[in-house]
Amino acid sequence: MAKRKPKEKKVHRVYCTYFPNGDYYIGYSGKPQKLYEKYYGSGKAVLQYEGELQKETIAEFEKKSWAKMQEFLLQWQQRKDPKCLNSMLNIRLNKEPLADFEPLDWKPKSWDM
Protein backbone atom coordinates (compact mmCIF):
# COMPACT_ATOMS: atom_id res chain seq x y z
CA MET A 1 0.00 0.00 0.00
CA ALA A 2 1.34 3.43 -0.93
CA LYS A 3 2.15 5.91 1.82
CA ARG A 4 -0.11 8.90 2.00
CA LYS A 5 1.47 12.28 1.67
CA PRO A 6 0.83 14.31 4.83
CA LYS A 7 -1.84 16.91 4.21
CA GLU A 8 -0.60 20.49 4.06
CA LYS A 9 -1.61 22.33 7.23
CA LYS A 10 -4.40 24.80 6.48
CA VAL A 11 -3.27 28.42 6.62
CA HIS A 12 -5.72 31.32 6.62
CA ARG A 13 -4.25 34.52 5.21
CA VAL A 14 -5.27 38.15 5.22
CA TYR A 15 -3.74 40.03 2.32
CA CYS A 16 -3.82 43.31 0.46
CA THR A 17 -3.75 43.58 -3.33
CA TYR A 18 -2.37 46.85 -4.69
CA PHE A 19 -3.14 48.46 -8.03
CA PRO A 20 -0.62 50.72 -9.83
CA ASN A 21 -2.75 53.83 -9.14
CA GLY A 22 -2.58 53.26 -5.36
CA ASP A 23 -5.99 51.64 -4.96
CA TYR A 24 -6.03 48.49 -2.85
CA TYR A 25 -8.25 45.55 -1.91
CA ILE A 26 -8.12 43.76 1.47
CA GLY A 27 -9.05 40.09 1.41
CA TYR A 28 -8.96 36.65 2.99
CA SER A 29 -7.71 33.40 1.48
CA GLY A 30 -7.63 29.83 2.74
CA LYS A 31 -5.98 28.58 -0.46
CA PRO A 32 -2.90 26.33 -0.36
CA GLN A 33 0.43 28.14 -0.91
CA LYS A 34 0.78 27.37 -4.64
CA LEU A 35 -2.72 28.64 -5.46
CA TYR A 36 -2.38 31.60 -3.10
CA GLU A 37 0.74 32.85 -4.89
CA LYS A 38 -1.31 33.50 -8.03
CA TYR A 39 -4.45 34.72 -6.22
CA TYR A 40 -5.13 38.44 -5.89
CA GLY A 41 -8.73 38.40 -4.74
CA SER A 42 -12.28 37.93 -5.92
CA GLY A 43 -13.48 41.53 -5.83
CA LYS A 44 -14.92 42.95 -9.04
CA ALA A 45 -12.05 45.40 -9.53
CA VAL A 46 -9.46 42.63 -9.11
CA LEU A 47 -11.21 40.22 -11.46
CA GLN A 48 -11.68 42.85 -14.18
CA TYR A 49 -8.17 44.27 -13.96
CA GLU A 50 -5.81 43.16 -16.74
CA GLY A 51 -2.50 44.68 -15.62
CA GLU A 52 0.11 43.81 -13.02
CA LEU A 53 -0.87 43.72 -9.35
CA GLN A 54 1.19 43.53 -6.16
CA LYS A 55 0.14 41.57 -3.10
CA GLU A 56 1.16 41.90 0.55
CA THR A 57 0.41 39.11 3.01
CA ILE A 58 -0.64 40.99 6.12
CA ALA A 59 -1.06 38.01 8.45
CA GLU A 60 -1.36 34.24 8.58
CA PHE A 61 -3.54 32.40 11.09
CA GLU A 62 -4.26 28.78 11.98
CA LYS A 63 -7.85 29.71 12.82
CA LYS A 64 -10.18 30.82 10.05
CA SER A 65 -12.25 32.88 12.50
CA TRP A 66 -9.19 34.94 13.44
CA ALA A 67 -8.34 35.62 9.79
CA LYS A 68 -11.92 36.59 8.96
CA MET A 69 -12.09 38.92 11.97
CA GLN A 70 -8.79 40.54 11.03
CA GLU A 71 -9.95 40.98 7.43
CA PHE A 72 -13.16 42.62 8.63
CA LEU A 73 -11.38 44.95 11.08
CA LEU A 74 -8.90 46.12 8.44
CA GLN A 75 -11.67 46.71 5.91
CA TRP A 76 -13.62 48.62 8.56
CA GLN A 77 -10.58 50.73 9.53
CA GLN A 78 -10.07 51.69 5.89
CA ARG A 79 -13.77 52.20 5.06
CA LYS A 80 -13.41 55.96 4.54
CA ASP A 81 -10.28 55.72 2.39
CA PRO A 82 -11.30 56.26 -1.25
CA LYS A 83 -8.32 54.12 -2.30
CA CYS A 84 -9.82 51.07 -0.53
CA LEU A 85 -11.90 49.17 -3.08
CA ASN A 86 -13.71 46.89 -0.62
CA SER A 87 -17.41 47.57 -0.88
CA MET A 88 -18.74 44.38 0.74
CA LEU A 89 -18.26 43.60 4.42
CA ASN A 90 -19.29 40.03 5.13
CA ILE A 91 -18.87 38.72 8.65
CA ARG A 92 -20.68 36.05 10.57
CA LEU A 93 -18.53 34.54 13.30
CA ASN A 94 -18.93 32.61 16.51
CA LYS A 95 -17.42 34.72 19.30
CA GLU A 96 -16.03 31.77 21.32
CA PRO A 97 -12.99 31.03 19.09
CA LEU A 98 -12.22 34.76 19.11
CA ALA A 99 -11.73 34.98 22.88
CA ASP A 100 -7.91 35.27 22.57
CA PHE A 101 -7.86 37.17 19.27
CA GLU A 102 -5.69 40.31 19.16
CA PRO A 103 -6.06 42.55 16.08
CA LEU A 104 -3.03 43.75 14.14
CA ASP A 105 -2.03 47.35 13.63
CA TRP A 106 -1.67 47.82 9.85
CA LYS A 107 -1.69 50.58 7.26
CA PRO A 108 -1.64 50.17 3.48
CA LYS A 109 1.70 50.66 1.73
CA SER A 110 2.34 52.80 -1.31
CA TRP A 111 3.60 50.57 -4.06
CA ASP A 112 5.68 52.01 -6.85
CA MET A 113 5.07 49.76 -9.82
Side-chain angles (χ1 to χ4, degrees):
M1 186 172 210
K3 268 190 171 180
R4 284 190 173 201
K5 197 164 75 172
K7 205 171 186 181
E8 185 178 328
K9 191 166 184 161
K10 187 92 171 169
V11 177
H12 303 278
R13 297 174 183 90
V14 179
Y15 64 89
C16 185
T17 296
Y18 295 95
F19 294 78
N21 67 356
D23 289 349
Y24 59 94
Y25 175 84
I26 300 166
Y28 156 83
S29 176
K31 296 184 179 300
Q33 182 63 35
K34 272 190 172 183
L35 294 175
Y36 174 71
E37 289 170 9
K38 296 174 184 157
Y39 182 72
Y40 291 90
S42 60
K44 187 177 179 180
V46 173
L47 296 176
Q48 292 178 345
Y49 189 75
E50 294 184 6
E52 188 176 335
L53 297 169
Q54 297 286 331
K55 180 172 61 182
E56 169 191 8
T57 301
I58 299 168
E60 295 183 350
F61 299 95
E62 288 183 14
K63 296 179 183 179
K64 181 178 180 178
S65 60
W66 286 25
K68 295 299 283 179
M69 178 55 84
Q70 187 63 67
E71 175 199 29
F72 166 74
L73 290 173
L74 295 177
Q75 290 171 346
W76 185 253
Q77 284 173 358
Q78 306 305 320
R79 71 190 180 279
K80 294 181 182 177
D81 184 352
K83 295 270 186 201
C84 182
L85 300 178
N86 293 86
S87 58
M88 296 297 295
L89 301 175
N90 183 7
I91 185 161
R92 184 176 173 185
L93 296 171
N94 182 334
K95 70 177 183 174
E96 319 289 271
L98 295 168
D100 297 329
F101 173 76
E102 291 295 328
L104 298 172
D105 186 25
W106 176 85
K107 297 279 185 235
K109 295 179 181 177
S110 0
W111 286 85
D112 296 321
M113 294 167 89

